[in-house]
Each structure stands twice: as C-alpha cells, then as structure tokens.
Amino acid sequence: MILINLLPHREAARKRRRDLFNITLGASALAGALVAGAIFLWYQAAISEQQGINLALQTEIKKLEGQIKDIVGLEAEIAALRARQQAVENLQSDRNLPVHLLTELVNQLPDGVYISRMVQVDQLVTINGVAQSNERVSELLRNLSSNTPWFNKPELVEIVAGTVNLSARDQRRVSNFTIRVHLVRASEAEKAAKAAAEPAGVAASAPVSSASGAVKS
C-alpha cells in the first residue's frame, strides 16, 4: 500500500528550522547580555575599588603635605636660630678684633713704613700710609699676605710719589700708598693657626723618631 503525504512538509520543516534559529539567537543574545553584564559589574567594582584607593591616597598626601609644611617651617626656624647663634658667636669672638688688628699691624709693619689713617668697615680694612720706597710697600703686602693668619687678600689700591719736609732744607721723596685688606674673624684665624701648626709638629717629630732609631741601631 502506497502512502502519500499531502501535508506541506517542506513548510513545516522550514518553520521548525526558523523556530530553532530564533531560539538559538535569543539564547545567544541572552548569554551575551549576561556576559556583558558580568564584565560591566566587574569593571564597576574595580573602578570603585580604585577610586577608594585614590581617595585614601589623596587623604594621605594631604596629611603628608601638612607635615612637610611643618617640617619646612621647623627647618626655617632652626636655620634662623643657627644664624642668630652664629651672629652671637661672631660678636663674642670679634670683641678682641681691634686688639689683634693693631697688634698684627705693628708686628707686620716694615721699617720705613708709617700709617697715617686706617678705616674698618665690617671685615674690610683700608690703610693709608707713607713709605720710604715702593719696595717697603711691597714688603708690607707680602707680610700681610703670608706672615699672619689675621689678614688675607691684601690689595694695593694706589701708590703715589710725594715729598716729606724733614727740615727747612731737607726734603725726601716718599711713597703715599693705600691698601685694602680683609680682617679674618677670630674663629677662622684660630683654625688657620692650628692648621699651620700641625705640619710643623709632624715635621719636628720626624727627626726625633729617626734619631732614636739611629741610637737603637
């Protein structure tokens, strides 16, 4: 017996395939939406966490900035106190500077050189005087440069030839000079004197040790 299907089976099969495709498409869209929602929520949680961290960091930074300002203020106060302390120490050590100035000038003044005027402004001393010759002025400059720790950077400002009347008939040629020199503070002069004394002590101890070695041998 032959069976003949007169129903529209092709349309039914096409409809089944269409329904299956629509179901698959809807499931894919739903799955995609779920995955996208999960990723969005994860990013939102990460962003919220990072914002919380940034807020905490900003709070700590503000605290540190306040502490830094306090530290800077303390450093400024410490620097001001040190400057005051140094000023007081300089005043205390500079009380005897006029005595050292006059004493050293007397010790370093060569024969034939006379001082007529002297002016001190801070640590700069200007000396006006009369010398028998230019060589005497050069000797004074050398003495002020190397023979004393109380003066440094002597500078010859000018030297002018002149005459001095010793009597009515006796005139002599002289050199009128002006010298500038820096007066060293007491603390710096003491350091320079100690530094100059140390090599001398070492040099003096070396021959003694060598002599004792010779006696032993």
Side-chain angles (χ1 to χ4, degrees):
M1 182 178 179
I2 300 172
L3 297 176
I4 298 174
N5 187 6
L6 299 177
L7 295 175
H9 63 91
R10 290 188 178 88
E11 288 76 4
R14 191 177 297 114
K15 184 177 181 301
R16 285 195 300 269
R17 289 195 299 269
R18 189 183 300 115
D19 294 339
L20 181 61
F21 174 76
N22 290 333
I23 292 172
T24 305
L25 184 62
S28 300
L30 181 60
L34 291 175
V35 172
I39 293 173
F40 176 76
L41 293 176
W42 181 79
Y43 274 115
Q44 284 296 112
I47 291 172
S48 299
E49 182 180 0
Q50 187 62 44
Q51 288 177 347
I53 294 173
N54 293 341
L55 183 60
L57 289 176
Q58 290 176 357
T59 304
E60 293 297 326
I61 288 172
K62 289 181 180 179
K63 291 181 180 178
L64 290 176
E65 288 177 350
Q67 294 176 359
I68 289 172
K69 290 181 180 179
D70 294 339
I71 292 172
V72 171
L74 290 175
E75 289 179 350
E77 291 180 3
I78 291 172
L81 289 175
R82 287 179 177 175
R84 293 176 186 175
Q85 181 182 1
Q86 186 64 37
V88 172
E89 291 178 355
N90 291 336
L91 288 175
Q92 291 178 349
S93 61
D94 292 348
R95 287 182 302 178
N96 297 326
L97 274 183
V99 177
H100 293 297
L101 171 61
L102 297 176
T103 301
E104 289 299 318
L105 280 179
V106 171
N107 293 334
Q108 305 305 327
L109 204 64
D111 295 334
V113 178
Y114 307 93
I115 295 176
S116 59
R117 185 170 178 268
M118 182 172 59
V119 178
Q120 178 183 355
V121 179
D122 293 333
Q123 302 304 115
L124 184 64
V125 180
T126 303
I127 302 172
N128 299 96
V130 180
Q132 292 179 352
S133 62
N134 293 344
E135 288 76 12
R136 300 291 185 182
V137 179
S138 300
E139 184 179 357
L140 175 60
L141 286 172
R142 287 194 298 271
N143 292 344
L144 295 177
S145 176
S146 59
N147 289 347
T148 173
W150 292 96
F151 297 107
N152 63 6
K153 300 179 182 179
E155 175 188 3
L156 179 62
V157 179
E158 65 176 358
I159 183 167
V160 180
T163 58
V164 173
N165 296 323
L166 298 180
S167 63
R169 298 181 179 180
D170 189 5
Q171 289 186 346
R172 293 189 181 182
R173 296 183 62 84
V174 295
S175 298
N176 299 313
F177 64 88
T178 301
I179 293 176
R180 289 197 191 101
V181 64
H182 290 267
L183 183 61
V184 179
R185 295 189 181 277
S187 57
E188 298 176 0
E190 291 174 358
K191 291 179 182 178
K194 290 180 181 179
E198 288 177 357
V202 173
S205 62
V208 174
S209 59
S210 60
S212 63
V215 171
K216 290 180 182 179
S217 60

